Amino acid sequence: MTPPETPTDGPANHGTASPAVSVCLDRPLDVLKKRSDFLAAARARKQGTKAMMVQARKRRDDDTVAAEAIRVGYTCSKKVGNAVARNRAKRRMREVARAVLPTFGKPGWDYVLIGRKDATAIRDLIELQGDLKYALRKLHAPAKPRTPQA
């Protein structure tokens, strides 16, 4: 299916791009679907924010996925609410990931966004984007060396 063509005549034609076509990203996001990918991300780095938990892992070279791909998965437990509430939270996380990950995410990484009860579905989208940006900065920061406890 092809998108509709942009009208060439009339006062409504102010731009050259069709309003019905979504923005194409340089690095489109791939979606995690296998349970093993979610479990691998759960064993990797984590960063919590007010509205979501973000898990991130760097993929190994032997994975069958393209090295430059950014993959993302979304999940909400039943603590978030009924199916309607969980789906609403996941829709909001998808929108935030679509806006933030192509810029702030790193190629070759997998991310899992986990919704929080009473926060993901009602938090402002700008604040959700800020939460994800904060989590990505923390996750990609160099690890601090641990000092031995005396």
Side-chain angles (χ1 to χ4, degrees), residues 76 80 82-92 94:
C76 289
V80 172
N82 62 8
V84 174
R86 291 193 307 269
N87 288 335
R88 176 179 166 85
K90 285 191 274 189
R91 275 195 313 269
R92 292 170 60 83
R94 272 192 295 271

Side-chain angles (χ1 to χ4, degrees), residues 2-68:
T2 60
E5 295 295 323
T6 304
T8 57
D9 57 340
N13 185 19
H14 296 293
T16 58
S18 174
V21 177
S22 65
V23 176
C24 294
L25 304 173
D26 294 341
R27 296 180 294 191
L29 301 176
D30 294 338
V31 179
L32 295 176
K33 294 183 181 174
K34 293 183 184 175
R35 184 172 192 271
S36 60
D37 292 332
F38 281 88
L39 293 175
R43 289 188 302 268
R45 302 185 78 180
K46 301 172 181 68
Q47 179 63 48
T49 65
K50 288 183 181 180
M52 69 182 80
M53 170 73 74
V54 181
Q55 299 171 340
R57 83 169 183 116
K58 182 160 177 50
R59 286 191 309 275
R60 290 181 283 187
D61 293 333
D62 60 350
D63 284 343
T64 59
V65 181
E68 69 276 354

Side-chain angles (χ1 to χ4, degrees), residues 105-128:
K106 289 191 176 181
W109 283 69
D110 291 345
Y111 301 97
V112 175
L113 280 57
I114 304 171
R116 290 195 187 265
K117 178 182 180 183
D118 298 331
T120 307
I122 61 171
R123 194 158 168 87
D124 185 51
L125 276 176
I126 301 298
E127 292 173 348
L128 273 175

